[in-house]
Amino acid sequence: NLSDDAPVDHSLFKSDTWLVLDDNGTRDRLREKARNQLGTIGSGNHYVDVFMDENRAIWVGVHFGSRGFGHTVATGFLNLFQDRVWSAPNPREVEAILDLDKPMGMDYWAMMELAGEYAYVGREWVARKVVALIGGEELELVHNHHNFAWKEAHFDEELIVVRKGATPAFPGQKGFIGGSMGVDAVIVQGAQAEHGSEITRLQRDALYSTVHGAGRVMSRTEAAGKRNRKTGV
């Protein structure tokens, strides 16, 4: 079990950010869920990948985020938005725009940041655990955070950039892009082009973003049973 010696005493569990949650048992239940899932990968398209680059260096790639902790935070604030802003029954999945100058928006931003830190801690621990299991030595660590929101400066103003299905790729910044199941992953780096070049313009217009993983033409349910394990097709 990868989680047997996970860092469940990490300082993030003592953060004052937890205080934004009501002290009615919700805070302790969510913190316990986070502790129990730290060091686990999850299901779906979450995985650990071990691959070799063109220089014969071995990379350990992990693809997962803030697990049930992040999902619970997002769902909880979505429900709060529905109850307090709309005050009427609404579809389960909707878009919610929270004002960061108001308490609900400030609390969500704080909890999202904490969930992001939690994801970093989990990925680092799993990657290093796998490196140790295969007898390797860590030479470099690359984070590829996605489905997150950042405060960034673009076009001479501060913006909230939400990259859903995308990841930052500023000049020189490295990233990890996982392939579809069974397809090679790649390590990428944001292009460092001459100022004013076409590449620079394209980077700027894309808010210095790139893809976070391979796409697929079918859902997993649609694809079930269509693969011939003998031919690989």
Side-chain angles (χ1 to χ4, degrees), residues 154-155 198-209:
H154 296 277
F155 310 110
E198 178 67 9
I199 292 178
T200 300
R201 185 187 66 78
L202 292 172
Q203 288 176 298
R204 184 186 65 247
D205 291 347
L207 305 184
Y208 299 95
S209 304

Side-chain angles (χ1 to χ4, degrees), residues 19-232:
L19 298 177
V20 307
L21 300 178
D22 292 335
D23 191 14
N24 58 2
T26 300
R27 183 189 308 158
D28 290 339
R29 286 194 298 271
L30 183 56
R31 186 154 38 193
E32 188 62 20
K33 174 188 283 189
R35 278 199 172 101
N36 289 338
Q37 292 187 350
L38 187 59
T40 64
I41 296 166
S43 58
N45 198 34
H46 296 153
Y47 55 82
V48 174
D49 193 10
V50 180
F51 57 101
M52 179 186 295
D53 67 17
E54 66 275 16
N55 297 317
R56 301 188 65 79
I58 302 297
W59 291 82
V60 174
V62 296
H63 178 208
F64 64 93
S66 51
R67 305 289 285 105
F69 172 29
H71 184 271
T72 301
V73 168
T75 302
F77 276 91
L78 181 58
N79 290 338
L80 283 175
F81 179 83
Q82 291 175 331
D83 294 341
R84 297 183 185 179
V85 179
W86 286 335
S87 300
N90 286 280
R92 183 177 179 185
E93 293 190 10
V94 297
E95 292 182 354
I97 300 177
L98 303 179
D99 189 337
L100 294 182
D101 292 327
K102 294 183 178 180
M104 190 187 302
M106 289 188 289
D107 288 349
Y108 173 71
W109 186 269
M111 288 303 298
M112 183 200 68
E113 290 280 333
L114 187 65
E117 181 182 359
Y118 175 82
Y120 267 57
V121 171
R123 286 194 297 265
E124 285 186 4
W125 186 81
V126 170
R128 286 169 170 158
K129 183 74 170 181
V130 174
V131 168
L133 289 173
I134 64 177
E137 177 184 357
E138 180 187 327
L139 301 178
E140 187 175 7
L141 184 67
V142 176
H143 272 287
N144 194 58
H145 215 37
H146 64 272
N147 295 351
F148 199 67
W150 293 262
K151 291 182 179 179
E152 297 174 356
H154 296 277
F155 310 110
D156 298 322
E157 61 178 322
E158 184 180 69
L159 302 176
I160 303 298
V161 180
V162 182
R163 293 184 175 91
K164 174 63 179 175
T167 187
F170 288 93
Q173 182 177 11
K174 287 186 178 180
F176 163 65
I177 299 178
S180 297
M181 295 179 184
V183 178
D184 290 342
V186 294
I187 300 295
V188 297
Q189 188 170 23
Q192 294 178 297
E194 293 184 8
H195 182 70
S197 68
E198 178 67 9
I199 292 178
T200 300
R201 185 187 66 78
L202 292 172
Q203 288 176 298
R204 184 186 65 247
D205 291 347
L207 305 184
Y208 299 95
S209 304
T210 189
V211 298
H212 92 272
R216 57 179 182 238
V217 297
M218 294 181 289
S219 69
R220 285 185 288 271
T221 301
E222 291 173 322
K226 296 183 182 296
R227 180 181 174 89
N228 187 318
R229 296 188 179 277
K230 292 183 178 180
T231 63

